[in-house]
Amino acid sequence: MNYAREIILASERERKDLIAFEEEMPNKTLGDRVYACQNLNESAAEINIAKLFVLYLSKERDVTNEIHRIFALNHQTEKSLFLVQQIQSEYRDIVYSALDLIKRLKQPLAIPYIQEIFNLEDTELSKHIIDALGAMVDPMAVKMIVSALETQDEDLLHFTIKVLSHRSGDVGWQTFRKLLEHEDRKIRREAAFAIAVRRDKASARSMVKAIDAESDQETKHALITYAGMIPGKQLLLPLLVMATHDPNHKTRLLASRALYRIQGIVPTKDFFKLRNVKDPDIRAEVVSRLGQFGIEEENQKRFIREELAKATTL
């Protein structure tokens, strides 16, 4: 496709120059094309930004990588204003490429223009938009991404959760709580990870509930692993029960590993409170883990000595 004829320009007088540039580029060496990227990137003139965009649209790997490397180094405002015009194009290659470069610039000034074309019914376009917005530190960008959680398209929903997973400073774990009950296990798993990476102890109860309700074994194992990232004491006893009594060997192993991670975060006293559980297997596990992690409080040392002294089973 001859992109130079379709790129939106403020001045049509520059069109011939852009077309001529596109036509001569295939005859240049790779080194010449890469050098052209570097040279054009130094200018804020629309025609030079347009030529750089033409090179990007060629999708030549080395050229694309070079533009990714240098694009955000200068003239960010001028480039953003050029690119937001391109997202109005009727050609998807141009729109998607413009959004990809907008992501590189991370300029919030593009958000109002992106909002004009944001439509959850168009799932492919929405993915590119959410990807671009995910790079911007701006509350409006976050709000637009969160709104995509209402989509009925499972692939778009999964992609949106992944983008929001990395915005822990902007989006709380409660945003993903209802998604732990989603009918698609892929969504449940991604939502659980998004919750876990926030490491909010208030989310522990919801994670326990999700693990108990999970019917898919593979997803349950993922949730148990993620649980080890949450410093919530409410997870200790459920994981102890799984580690000692679950009939599935992998479940027991993963629960045990998750416990080790949590024990290194929660206060020893929270774990010590489980010493009086009626189940002897759980009590033994508590004693063992207290000993492995080391204890400093005298009452905990005394408890272990007394338990070992009165023990009647291995």
Side-chain angles (χ1 to χ4, degrees):
M1 179 178 179
N2 297 318
Y3 291 110
R5 300 180 185 279
E6 309 302 337
I7 287 174
I8 299 170
L9 296 172
S11 174
E12 281 298 317
R13 289 178 299 176
E14 307 283 8
R15 182 77 61 189
K16 287 184 179 180
D17 185 13
L18 186 61
I19 292 172
F21 174 82
E22 184 180 45
E23 289 175 347
E24 70 181 18
M25 273 301 106
N27 301 321
K28 301 287 186 180
T29 66
L30 175 60
D32 288 338
R33 290 194 291 275
V34 171
Y35 177 75
C37 292
Q38 296 167 349
N39 192 40
L40 293 166
N41 195 60
E42 296 298 318
S43 173
E46 182 191 46
I47 184 60
N48 289 332
I49 297 173
K51 289 176 179 179
L52 191 61
F53 191 50
V54 162
L55 285 166
Y56 189 73
L57 285 163
S58 71
K59 297 181 174 62
E60 187 175 9
R61 186 183 63 180
D62 292 324
V63 170
T64 298
N65 289 342
E66 180 63 13
I67 294 175
H68 281 171
R69 186 182 71 84
I70 65 176
F71 196 68
L73 296 178
N74 49 29
H75 309 304
Q76 295 179 0
T77 300
E78 291 84 353
K79 289 172 180 174
S80 294
L81 292 173
F82 171 81
L83 291 170
V84 294
Q85 296 303 311
Q86 309 315 313
I87 65 174
Q88 305 296 328
S89 174
E90 61 183 280
Y91 298 99
R92 285 302 172 97
D93 278 354
I94 291 177
V95 175
Y96 295 161
S97 295
L99 286 168
D100 185 40
L101 290 176
I102 286 171
K103 174 185 175 181
R104 307 282 164 178
L105 295 173
K106 305 179 183 180
Q107 291 293 302
L109 70 84
I111 294 174
Y113 301 93
I114 292 174
Q115 192 172 24
E116 291 180 6
I117 65 169
F118 190 32
N119 176 15
L120 290 179
E121 296 298 317
D122 189 334
T123 57
E124 192 61 32
L125 176 61
S126 294
K127 281 185 181 180
H128 282 83
I129 288 175
I130 290 166
D131 191 38
L133 293 173
M136 298 180 189
V137 182
D138 185 274
M140 188 61 193
V142 175
K143 185 176 180 181
M144 287 174 64
I145 300 171
V146 170
S147 72
L149 294 176
E150 300 299 321
T151 181
Q152 299 301 308
D153 186 90
E154 292 176 351
D155 287 338
L156 178 58
L157 177 57
H158 183 257
F159 181 78
T160 302
I161 298 170
K162 288 182 71 174
V163 171
L164 288 173
S165 287
H166 305 291
R167 305 296 294 261
S168 57
D170 302 312
V171 182
W173 70 271
Q174 298 92 338
T175 302
F176 309 98
R177 179 162 49 190
K178 288 186 178 179
L179 295 170
L180 291 173
E181 303 173 6
H182 197 278
E183 60 183 13
D184 188 319
R185 64 180 182 178
K186 181 175 66 175
I187 302 298
R188 297 195 300 273
R189 184 169 178 167
E190 200 63 50
F193 178 75
I195 289 172
V197 294
R198 280 151 176 78
R199 293 177 169 82
D200 190 329
K201 60 184 179 181
S203 65
R205 292 187 186 277
S206 293
M207 187 63 78
V208 169
K209 183 179 178 182
I211 292 171
D212 287 342
E214 186 54 61
S215 57
D216 179 72
Q217 192 75 283
E218 185 179 346
T219 303
K220 182 175 182 176
H221 288 163
L223 266 58
I224 292 170
T225 300
Y226 300 154
M229 302 165 66
I230 302 172
K233 61 183 180 181
Q234 295 88 352
L235 281 159
L236 293 174
L237 186 56
L239 288 172
L240 279 167
V241 172
M242 282 185 271
T244 53
H245 295 301
D246 199 280
N248 185 284
H249 172 70
K250 187 173 181 179
T251 300
R252 296 196 303 273
L253 178 62
L254 293 174
S256 180
R257 288 176 178 172
L259 275 167
Y260 278 120
R261 295 182 70 182
I262 295 175
Q263 282 176 250
I265 305 173
V266 300
T268 308
K269 63 181 181 180
D270 289 335
F271 196 72
F272 185 61
K273 290 176 182 177
L274 300 173
R275 67 191 183 280
N276 294 322
V277 174
K278 291 183 179 180
D279 189 318
D281 292 332
I282 293 179
R283 286 206 308 275
E285 188 72 15
V286 170
V287 171
S288 173
R289 287 174 176 273
L290 283 171
Q292 290 174 46
F293 266 74
I295 49 178
E296 298 177 357
E297 297 183 22
E298 187 57 38
N299 62 332
Q300 295 180 18
K301 295 178 182 178
R302 185 168 58 252
F303 163 72
I304 289 183
R305 288 195 297 268
E306 290 173 354
E307 282 291 303
L308 291 174
K310 70 182 182 183
T312 58
T313 67
L314 183 60

